[in-house]
């Protein structure tokens, strides 16, 4: 487990409302992944597919 992952777990555990903190962290991570995915260019694996 990375230091960042461990720190996130500790922040969630130490929060006054750990359930809400976990839900918020999950939403932020999913939004980040969706944003990153949408910015990636879709390129064919095989350039011959375009010919």
């Amino acid at each position: 487990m990375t230091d960042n992952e461990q720190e996130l777990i500790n922040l969630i555990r130490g929060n006054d409302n750990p359930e809400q903190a976990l839900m918020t962290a999950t939403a932020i991570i999913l939004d980040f992944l969706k944003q990153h995915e949408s910015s990636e260019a879709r390129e064919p694996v095989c350039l011959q597919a375009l010919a």
Side-chain angles (χ1 to χ4, degrees), residues 4-21:
N4 287 340
E5 293 167 336
Q6 189 64 43
E7 182 178 353
L8 177 59
I9 290 170
N10 289 335
L11 286 170
I12 292 168
R13 285 182 179 167
N15 191 281
D16 291 340
N17 187 346
E19 183 177 342
Q20 183 62 44

Side-chain angles (χ1 to χ4, degrees), residues 8-50:
L8 177 59
I9 290 170
N10 289 335
L11 286 170
I12 292 168
R13 285 182 179 167
N15 191 281
D16 291 340
N17 187 346
E19 183 177 342
Q20 183 62 44
L22 178 59
M23 291 175 65
T24 301
T26 302
I28 291 169
I29 292 168
L30 288 174
D31 285 346
F32 172 78
L33 292 174
K34 287 177 187 175
Q35 179 183 4
H36 181 69
E37 179 181 292
S38 67
S39 67
E40 291 181 358
R42 305 269 193 258
E43 296 184 21
V45 175
C46 178
L47 294 178
Q48 290 178 348
L50 295 176

